[in-house]
Amino acid sequence: MAVARPVRVLGLAAVLMWCFFIYQIFHPGKSILKPGAVPPSFERDPNMDPTGEPDGILVRTSEEYAPGLENSARINATLLALVRNEELDGMLQAMRDLERTWNHKFNYPWTFFNDVPFSDEFKKKTQEVTKAKCNYELIPDEHWKMPSWINMDLFDESVQMLKEQDIQYADKVSYHQMCRWNSGMFYKHPALANTQYYWRVEPKVHFFCDVDYDVFRYMQDNNKTYGFTINLYDAPQSIPTLWPETLKFLAEHDGYVHENNALDWLTDKTRRPEHNNRANGYSTCHFWSNFEIGDMNFWRSKVYEDYFNHLDRAGGFFYERWGDAPVHSIALGLFEDSSRIHWFRDIGYQHIPFFNCPNSPKCKGCVTGRLTDGASFLHREDCRPNWFKYVGMG
């Protein structure tokens, strides 16, 4: 019996040390950084705290964001949607969610894009959902049509190969056009020439949490370039030459890679080595860009423009199925300071079948911590643990 007490004490000490270890890993103000990395800024997500004023954010009154107000507190930003007339119902649902949870407080304008003119019904019903100004823009042919250097015979052969590998939307020319437009064309539209920030919103997405601060001002005040909610693995068979083309580009452009990059996240092979192998060195981790809050100055930079033009001439938007999500993610991971990329953990979001559902009393309609409403194997697609491991939670 004399030995039992020290054993119990040691056991209790071991438990306490383990709890402290777990706390250090998952505490919001901590991160696991790659060796030699510059620690990112870990300011608290303001919306996660239901009481008190958000850290580092000037709280403004709703009157300063009144619709139509000149010299309002709104900064140079818009809500942005690429949407068809026939997707009206899904767009209205997404708008109602975002207006209810956020934009009715801030009244940021909506900008809708389509490759054909919007119908009167689309314009009428979308404007009825918001007090903010709505803009309806037609995409120029030169931004949408398949480029002249794409070989149609090769495209047709490539489509058949992709279909044999069960790549979704491989035979839809409009899907390839959409991926290219979202990758390197949308920010060139004349309607956005004087706009800096955007929040991309797609039809049928859901928003679950009341967000009480101006996310665009948060981006500006905290020097953030890009914000995401969900971070996934891509289908490697849809992008087999994307990474090799990227390496070719880097070999021709010495000095473009940022010193505080996220290369380890882009090339990780520990969790899903089969993805890295099939994508020829790319982990396929990417920010799911159906939600993104971004600073268009990054896309307009010489570094990104050079990168996009290289990829565009390589033809992978049509010969393969390069999506804007991996293209944006690779560019951000290589060319931007990783501390300027922010996980909006407080914005509850769903694009079927994946969720970002925070543990917050401000969230309703989703299950805390839930990633997917699909099969359990889909949890393997979550690449956020890699981001937190190599970059952190900033």
Side-chain angles (χ1 to χ4, degrees):
M1 295 296 293
V3 179
R5 182 172 298 173
V7 170
R8 286 198 297 270
V9 171
L10 288 173
L12 178 60
V15 170
L16 290 173
M17 289 180 66
W18 175 250
C19 292
F20 179 76
F21 173 73
I22 294 298
Y23 176 82
Q24 290 297 310
I25 292 178
F26 292 104
H27 186 275
K30 299 291 183 181
S31 68
I32 302 173
L33 294 174
K34 58 188 178 182
V38 178
S41 173
F42 293 115
E43 58 276 271
R44 185 184 67 211
D45 276 292
N47 200 45
M48 295 303 288
D49 185 357
T51 62
E53 293 187 356
D55 287 344
I57 290 187
L58 176 63
V59 178
R60 296 175 180 270
T61 65
S62 58
E63 289 78 11
E64 294 177 280
Y65 287 95
L69 180 68
E70 286 191 33
N71 301 316
S72 74
R74 283 183 292 275
I75 67 169
N76 188 9
T78 191
L79 302 169
L80 186 153
L82 173 65
V83 56
R84 298 186 181 99
N85 286 309
E86 56 267 32
E87 295 174 303
L88 173 60
D89 289 343
M91 194 71 243
L92 293 174
Q93 176 261 298
M95 288 182 70
R96 291 187 185 106
D97 268 17
L98 191 53
E99 288 288 330
R100 183 187 71 252
T101 57
W102 183 73
N103 199 43
H104 78 277
K105 307 161 194 171
F106 301 101
N107 296 294
Y108 273 96
W110 288 83
T111 305
F112 300 98
F113 291 97
N114 197 348
D115 64 311
V116 300
F118 282 106
S119 67
D120 291 339
E121 180 188 23
F122 187 98
K123 293 178 182 179
K124 177 177 181 293
K125 290 191 174 180
T126 49
Q127 185 62 79
E128 288 173 349
V129 174
T130 178
K131 296 178 182 177
K133 185 176 188 295
C134 290
N135 305 294
Y136 304 91
E137 305 295 342
L138 183 65
I139 299 172
D141 284 346
E142 61 269 24
H143 288 181
W144 188 257
K145 286 187 175 179
M146 191 179 295
S148 60
W149 56 84
I150 298 300
N151 182 305
M152 287 306 300
D153 291 335
L154 182 56
F155 172 72
D156 292 338
E157 292 176 13
S158 301
V159 164
Q160 290 305 312
M161 293 175 62
L162 291 170
K163 287 176 65 177
E164 290 170 5
Q165 298 179 75
D166 296 323
I167 297 298
Q168 197 173 20
Y169 311 125
D171 58 344
K172 292 186 178 297
V173 174
S174 62
Y175 191 87
H176 294 265
Q177 292 170 314
M178 175 193 71
C179 291
R180 177 177 179 262
W181 186 82
N182 279 323
S183 294
M185 293 293 166
F186 76 94
Y187 53 88
K188 298 173 184 174
H189 195 286
L192 299 178
N194 298 313
T195 304
Q196 182 175 355
Y197 294 95
Y198 69 99
W199 181 339
R200 178 170 159 185
V201 184
E202 294 199 352
K204 297 184 179 180
V205 301
H206 290 275
F207 297 92
F208 302 104
C209 307
D210 289 329
V211 179
D212 297 326
Y213 63 98
D214 182 345
V215 298
F216 292 124
R217 184 166 291 279
Y218 178 85
M219 294 284 286
Q220 181 185 76
D221 291 351
N222 291 279
N223 198 28
K224 301 296 182 182
T225 296
Y226 190 84
F228 71 97
T229 54
I230 297 172
N231 185 330
L232 299 172
Y233 288 95
D234 206 353
Q237 59 271 37
S238 68
I239 49 173
T241 67
L242 177 56
W243 190 249
E245 282 295 336
T246 298
L247 295 180
K248 187 185 300 183
F249 172 79
L250 295 179
E252 298 169 354
H253 296 81
D254 186 44
Y256 271 22
V257 176
H258 197 283
E259 61 181 6
N260 189 35
N261 59 69
L263 180 62
D264 291 339
W265 170 69
L266 293 172
T267 57
D268 175 82
K269 61 177 66 174
T270 59
R271 290 187 68 227
R272 300 294 298 274
E274 73 281 10
H275 278 239
N276 187 291
N277 291 336
R278 296 184 69 181
N280 295 299
Y282 171 36
S283 67
T284 75
C285 286
H286 65 283
F287 308 118
W288 218 25
S289 59
N290 42 67
F291 173 107
E292 58 182 10
I293 300 174
D295 182 345
M296 284 185 280
N297 286 340
F298 177 78
W299 311 128
R300 292 166 176 151
S301 69
K302 175 174 171 50
V303 173
Y304 184 76
E305 279 287 270
D306 287 349
Y307 179 59
F308 171 76
N309 288 334
H310 176 93
L311 297 182
D312 201 21
R313 297 298 303 194
F317 291 108
F318 295 94
Y319 300 143
E320 296 178 5
R321 203 208 64 186
W322 295 353
D324 52 276
V327 170
H328 279 184
S329 301
I330 289 174
L332 288 159
L334 290 175
F335 310 132
E336 184 53 284
D337 183 336
S338 61
S339 70
R340 298 186 66 181
I341 301 171
H342 180 66
W343 176 40
F344 278 102
R345 55 179 172 252
D346 57 315
I347 297 181
Y349 175 75
Q350 181 200 24
H351 184 293
I352 294 173
F354 295 104
F355 291 84
N356 183 67
C357 189
N359 182 13
S360 170
K362 294 188 176 184
C363 302
K364 298 176 182 178
C366 66
V367 179
T368 299
R370 187 182 193 180
L371 174 69
T372 177
D373 57 3
S376 59
F377 74 86
L378 289 176
H379 286 273
R380 297 181 68 232
E381 302 306 315
D382 189 2
C383 202
R384 286 176 298 184
N386 280 23
W387 182 259
F388 304 149
K389 173 183 177 182
Y390 292 118
V391 179
M393 295 187 180

